[in-house]
Amino acid sequence: METVDHVAVTVDGGLAGDYRGAVKPGGRGRRQVTLMERIDWQAAMAEVGHNIAWSERRANLLVDGLDLPQVPGVRLRIGADVLLEVTRETDPCERMEALAPGLRAALTPDWRGGACTRVLAGGIIAVGDPIRIE
């Protein structure tokens, strides 16, 4: 994982530098960009009694001040140009349990582990860009 202050986002490739965001031939790109709410990560940390950096979750973007919609098909605008579509919940994996006992379960309720999205329109996003539901 690498933390950056800005990144290019494309319809075919997701976030620049993240090979998992590339749409595979015949694929639908349902997991191009993953987002997680800061408050959800903090709640999970409180539940397991740890203070692990959010980047260990391996979500692409940490969102602050927005309750991520838990409905596939909802669109999110980041900055002026980037448009994402929620596709599904980001399921917590066994790696979370290796970070802290109970973390996988702490990330399970109410999409606390985050949301997967596909890129509908690309552009450049940066830390502090506004994010809103369209």
Side-chain angles (χ1 to χ4, degrees), residues 94-107:
E94 62 280 347
R95 184 175 185 283
M96 297 302 99
E97 206 58 26
L99 289 174
L103 182 54
R104 186 175 188 177
L107 289 170

Side-chain angles (χ1 to χ4, degrees), residues 36 41 53-59 90-93 96 99 107 113:
M36 180 180 61
W41 182 251
W54 75 270
S55 56
E56 293 296 321
R57 172 67 180 108
R58 303 181 75 77
T90 307
D91 297 321
C93 66
M96 297 302 99
L99 289 174
L107 289 170

Side-chain angles (χ1 to χ4, degrees), residues 10-79:
T10 65
V11 172
D12 293 331
L15 298 178
D18 181 10
Y19 73 93
R20 294 179 188 184
V23 178
K24 296 168 184 61
R28 296 180 288 169
R30 294 182 342 144
R31 191 184 171 104
Q32 285 188 287
V33 179
T34 56
L35 299 92
M36 180 180 61
E37 294 177 50
R38 178 184 307 275
I39 195 166
D40 285 343
W41 182 251
Q42 291 170 337
M45 288 295 96
E47 197 169 305
V48 297
H50 284 274
N51 189 19
I52 301 168
W54 75 270
S55 56
E56 293 296 321
R57 172 67 180 108
R58 303 181 75 77
N60 294 125
L61 303 175
L62 184 66
V63 176
D64 203 5
L66 176 74
D67 186 12
L68 288 172
Q70 299 175 358
V71 179
V74 172
R75 294 178 175 195
L76 303 170
R77 173 81 57 188
I78 303 177

